[in-house]
Amino acid sequence: MADFEDEWLEHEQSQQAQAPAPITYNNTRIYRPSQNRGRGDGGHSNEGNWRARGNSAGGDFSNTRRDFPRRDNRNKKTMFVPSKKIGRIIGKGGSKIRELESESQAKIQIGDSSGDETELSLFGSDEAITKVEEMLNDLLQDYKPPPKDSHNESTDSGRTNEFFKTNESGVQVIDWDKLNSYHDQHQKARWESLPPIVKDFYKEDPEVAAMSPSSVARWRLANNDIQVKRTFDDKPGLRPIPNPIKTFEQAFKHYPEILDEIYKQGFANPSPIQCQAWPILLRGEDLIGIAQTGTGKTLAFLLPALIHIEGQVIPREEREGPTVLIMAPTRELALQIDKEVSKYQYRGIKSVCLYGGGDRKEQINIVSKGVDIVIATPGRLNDLVMAKHLSIINFSYIVLDEADRMLDMGFEPQIRKSLFDVRPDRQTVMTSATWPPGVRRLASSYMKDPIQVNVGSLDLAAVHTVTQKIIFVQEDDKENVLLEFIQNMDSNDKVIIFCGKKATATHISTELALKGIECQSLHGDRDQCDREEALADMMDGNVNILVATDVASRGIDIKDLTHVINFDFPMHIEEYVHRVGRTGRAGRTGTALSFIARNDWAHAKDLIKILEEANQEVPDELESMAERFKAMKLRREKEGGGRGGRGGRGRRDRY
């Protein structure tokens, strides 16, 4: 940046030295037009007006330099537009002008708009200037009143009147039934014009087909007590739920290239959810996969997606957009799914990861060049769908990964808005670690006769390969206990320290750094490049300590993670389960240490259930906390409910 600023200052000084003397017009200093158009600083210029308004006495203009386009060897063209339409070009918060510059690769400088017309200076290559000029003309044309035509006017009036009715009071109101019917007909016509979707690619292995119901039941019981059923009503005419496969060959022997990619990863056997999910997805059914993190859910929906992409009627290069959409709640999970996709090279299939904090312009360029799989967070997906860079109607295989987490984070409006146009005959997959009402509601909206595969109990449970330990501490002693643990770590230990707030994570990582302890931090206040670097440093072994908030509690797969420390106990017990699940993955073992302070007593009862389900030791002190909290609640109810007679947490009610 410093080099750029020096270059800019030198060039400005040179321009000032060579510029002709200014002339005065209506008490405003302006410069005569330069004749050097080839350098991008000729033609009509607004530079003089800008300088006069900014500082008529001259001086340092570095504070406003960012609004003045950098001079380079590109061309410049000037056009004039009505000043009243400048707002249309700028857009809310400058969003429209950024979009115009991004799509055209040109730069737009807006001059003085105090008069009837405003001068626009367009900088860039000939091609870029031509493109942005066409876009600007189209934008302005959209807001010009259409020519009056009596025939069209009467037709439009007739069409509009179709959607109005007179109510009982004689007032004209919108006839929503007719309007909704018209919209439904319009949508149906759009969907019928789309090419058909091929969804059934499954050829059942004879050995799998020969499994008896009793042998299937025994296998499911032995593999984490898998429960399989139709989520909603089991309508007549639906095909029976397919039997599970036991080997990779039974699922993919007709797709040898997929098998080769699996062998390259060194997997010995498919995980339980993969065994049951692959036959369902390859057959084209909608699937709800409920399983704890680290059980292989990503691969369960990814490999059938690759086969789905290649098996469609329209060749990939002739399709109007991507085929597969995978939505994830966090940037880190989206990037990890993208990394997983890149491991499986199948017939040149390409993917893109769209997330807030990433380079939006670059993401749009990648999408425009053509991809097959879009992995996206809800916010950025909604952004690009609304800006018409993506058409959701083209997706025929949609995955909502970690659906419960997306709802917890408040993404349901963005999900519903983005999927408004999704075609009804697509195949939909939903994964979740839990099965709350919100996830059921989402499933009923976007899935057709889904099959639910539940690995283990629907009750909340932590991974059984993790040893869970509870440490009772005073709030002020947490840092000392944490430091003592870190100082006694083995050289091969690797730990994530979870904090409840971004400020706490920043404080802990800073304190460790000041003590000469190498660590990284991961939370929402860090730039995206820093977040990616922090995760990469942990995965590569450059650091062994990551201080994080709950953005790292789901989907992050650090294979050699040995410890999870809950510096602050989470607000919801579900997040405790997900934090613990960062270690003990893929059959490995791990340890979770949780600091429990006085103000965590509300979680004691739920924590006891988690510990008991996993056959972990339950400290007597935790039992005592749960009993005291229950007694306090009963006492408050007797005193008049709410928060008792003190209007808040009284001293006598504290743990």
Side-chain angles (χ1 to χ4, degrees):
M1 186 66 187
D3 293 341
F4 169 77
E5 291 180 351
D6 291 343
E7 178 186 339
W8 190 92
L9 286 169
E10 289 175 6
H11 188 76
E12 284 299 304
Q13 291 165 1
S14 172
Q15 290 295 310
Q16 291 175 18
Q18 298 175 15
I23 61 174
T24 302
Y25 179 76
N26 289 342
N27 296 322
T28 302
R29 297 176 64 198
I30 61 173
Y31 284 88
R32 301 178 192 276
S34 169
Q35 302 302 314
N36 188 5
R37 292 181 59 86
R39 295 187 54 181
D41 52 2
H44 296 288
S45 174
N46 194 41
E47 185 178 2
N49 290 328
W50 172 76
R51 288 186 176 277
R53 289 193 304 274
N55 186 344
S56 60
D60 185 9
F61 293 90
S62 59
N63 291 332
T64 55
R65 217 162 47 229
R66 60 186 180 84
D67 294 323
F68 195 80
R70 179 180 176 180
R71 302 304 194 201
D72 54 24
N73 291 326
R74 296 178 298 176
N75 297 328
K76 172 185 173 182
K77 185 168 184 178
T78 300
M79 63 183 293
F80 293 87
V81 301
S83 295
K84 63 183 180 181
K85 295 183 179 179
I86 286 298
R88 306 290 186 185
I89 297 173
I90 296 173
K92 185 176 181 181
S95 59
K96 191 63 183 178
I97 194 169
R98 287 196 296 270
E99 181 183 329
L100 291 166
E101 291 181 332
S102 173
E103 291 190 22
S104 66
Q105 301 296 306
K107 286 291 181 183
I108 305 172
Q109 180 191 350
I110 299 176
D112 184 8
S113 58
S114 59
D116 292 338
E117 287 192 327
T118 297
E119 179 182 339
L120 296 186
S121 298
L122 313 179
F123 298 89
S125 64
D126 291 339
E127 191 176 307
I129 289 177
T130 300
K131 184 172 182 179
V132 76
E133 191 174 16
E134 291 174 355
M135 294 172 70
L136 287 167
N137 287 331
D138 290 342
L139 180 63
L140 297 174
Q141 185 67 31
D142 290 341
Y143 294 98
K144 291 181 180 178
K148 292 186 177 180
D149 187 315
S150 58
H151 173 73
N152 289 340
E153 197 171 300
S154 62
T155 303
D156 291 342
S157 176
R159 166 62 61 83
T160 302
N161 288 334
E162 289 179 14
F163 305 126
F164 283 87
K165 64 180 180 181
T166 303
N167 64 12
E168 299 167 349
S169 304
V171 178
Q172 192 176 47
V173 295
I174 297 174
D175 189 334
W176 287 107
D177 290 336
K178 284 187 177 181
L179 188 59
N180 288 332
S181 176
Y182 173 78
H183 172 265
D184 291 343
Q185 292 173 10
H186 177 69
Q187 282 287 71
K188 187 177 180 181
R190 290 180 67 204
W191 289 331
E192 288 176 350
S193 67
L194 297 170
I197 300 175
V198 180
K199 295 194 284 187
D200 192 348
F201 303 97
Y202 188 51
K203 297 178 182 178
E204 192 172 38
D205 185 89
E207 185 178 341
V208 174
M211 293 176 70
S212 66
S214 59
S215 63
V216 169
R218 285 195 301 272
W219 182 90
R220 287 173 178 165
L221 181 63
N223 286 270
N224 296 345
D225 190 18
I226 293 178
Q227 304 292 322
V228 188
K229 64 175 183 178
R230 293 278 178 183
T231 305
F232 306 114
D233 295 336
D234 197 349
K235 302 173 185 175
L238 295 175
R239 290 187 289 178
I241 294 171
N243 294 336
I245 55 93
K246 297 179 181 179
T247 66
F248 294 117
E249 290 76 14
Q250 288 176 343
F252 301 110
K253 67 180 180 182
H254 298 289
Y255 305 97
E257 293 169 74
I258 294 286
L259 274 178
D260 289 342
E261 293 300 313
I262 294 173
Y263 295 148
K264 288 178 185 177
Q265 304 305 317
F267 295 124
N269 296 296
S271 70
I273 193 169
Q274 291 167 358
C275 289
Q276 187 62 76
W278 281 335
I280 295 170
L281 291 176
L282 287 171
R283 204 173 74 176
E285 302 266 10
D286 285 5
L287 172 74
I288 299 172
I290 302 175
Q292 296 301 321
T293 54
T295 53
K297 287 183 288 187
T298 302
L299 206 60
F301 63 69
L302 176 58
L303 298 186
L306 299 179
I307 295 170
H308 178 99
I309 291 169
E310 190 61 23
Q312 299 309 303
V313 176
I314 305 296
R316 280 164 37 207
E317 59 274 9
E318 296 178 18
R319 295 175 202 169
E320 293 185 13
T323 306
V324 171
L325 170 65
I326 303 171
M327 295 180 69
T330 65
R331 307 171 188 181
E332 283 71 28
L333 181 54
L335 287 166
Q336 185 162 298
I337 294 171
D338 188 43
K339 184 178 179 181
E340 194 70 17
V341 170
S342 66
K343 294 179 183 177
Y344 298 87
Q345 303 299 320
Y346 184 62
R347 303 194 177 182
I349 287 175
K350 299 176 183 177
S351 68
V352 64
C353 190
L354 309 177
Y355 55 92
D359 188 329
R360 183 177 185 272
K361 177 179 173 182
E362 182 182 355
Q363 292 172 2
I364 292 170
N365 286 340
I366 294 172
V367 170
S368 65
K369 291 176 183 176
V371 293
D372 305 292
I373 301 174
V374 170
I375 303 133
T377 54
R380 179 51 57 92
L381 175 68
N382 184 59
D383 171 22
L384 298 192
V385 169
M386 293 298 106
K388 301 190 184 308
H389 295 296
L390 269 176
S391 175
I392 205 76
I393 203 169
N394 295 316
F395 291 107
S396 57
Y397 187 104
I398 293 178
V399 180
L400 303 178
D401 196 19
E402 300 280 8
D404 52 345
R405 177 63 168 159
M406 285 196 279
L407 296 186
D408 288 344
M409 296 173 70
F411 283 133
E412 185 170 0
Q414 287 95 329
I415 293 171
R416 291 189 178 277
K417 196 172 181 182
S418 298
L419 300 183
F420 181 76
D421 264 348
V422 65
R423 57 189 296 178
D425 56 344
R426 82 274 168 190
Q427 186 173 2
T428 309
V429 186
M430 184 181 292
T431 76
S432 182
T434 56
W435 186 232
V439 176
R440 290 197 290 271
R441 184 175 64 248
L442 209 59
S444 64
S445 298
Y446 293 106
M447 308 189 85
K448 183 179 180 183
D449 305 319
I451 296 174
Q452 183 172 322
V453 177
N454 186 54
V455 180
S457 170
L458 274 178
D459 295 331
L460 201 61
V463 181
H464 287 201
T465 53
V466 177
T467 302
Q468 302 174 59
K469 296 182 179 181
I470 307 301
I471 301 175
F472 296 92
V473 295
Q474 296 292 333
E475 193 71 36
D476 294 340
D477 292 336
K478 283 183 177 181
E479 288 186 40
N480 293 331
V481 177
L482 175 64
L483 186 60
E484 183 180 353
F485 169 83
I486 291 174
Q487 289 171 340
N488 292 306
M489 283 174 56
D490 292 336
S491 58
N492 294 327
D493 285 347
K494 188 173 284 191
V495 58
I496 292 183
I497 302 166
F498 281 106
C499 302
K501 297 179 180 178
K502 295 178 283 190
T504 307
T506 300
H507 170 72
I508 294 298
S509 58
T510 302
E511 287 297 310
L512 293 179
L514 290 173
K515 289 178 171 60
I517 299 171
E518 290 190 9
C519 66
Q520 269 285 13
S521 64
L522 180 62
H523 54 77
D525 277 350
R526 300 205 72 193
D527 291 339
Q528 183 60 33
C529 58
D530 295 329
R531 292 168 68 166
E532 293 176 21
E533 182 183 3
L535 212 50
D537 281 347
M538 275 294 284
M539 292 181 174
D540 297 341
N542 295 329
V543 297
N544 286 351
I545 300 172
L546 178 67
V547 186
T549 57
D550 280 324
V551 297
S553 68
R554 299 217 186 187
I556 304 303
D557 187 11
I558 302 173
K559 292 183 172 58
D560 51 353
L561 193 72
T562 59
H563 291 79
V564 165
I565 296 179
N566 289 309
F567 185 85
D568 295 317
F569 201 83
M571 294 291 291
H572 304 287
I573 196 66
E574 290 84 1
E575 286 308 318
Y576 171 81
V577 171
H578 290 295
R579 289 180 180 185
V580 168
R582 293 311 94 213
T583 185
R585 298 173 69 85
R588 298 179 179 86
T589 59
T591 302
L593 306 177
S594 297
F595 295 171
I596 301 294
R598 297 163 69 95
N599 57 354
D600 296 320
W601 63 335
H603 302 295
K605 181 181 176 181
D606 291 331
L607 181 55
I608 288 170
K609 291 180 181 178
I610 300 293
L611 295 172
E612 288 178 341
E613 193 280 333
N615 297 317
Q616 301 290 309
E617 179 184 354
V618 179
D620 293 339
E621 183 64 16
L622 194 63
E623 297 272 13
S624 178
M625 288 179 77
E627 291 172 5
R628 285 197 293 273
F629 183 74
K630 181 179 179 181
M632 180 274 294
K633 288 181 68 177
L634 291 173
R635 186 170 65 251
R636 283 184 175 175
E637 289 173 4
K638 290 179 181 178
E639 291 175 354
R643 296 171 174 262
R646 294 172 180 257
R649 179 183 290 169
R651 256 181 111 74
R652 60 194 176 91
D653 288 336
R654 294 183 64 188
Y655 165 76

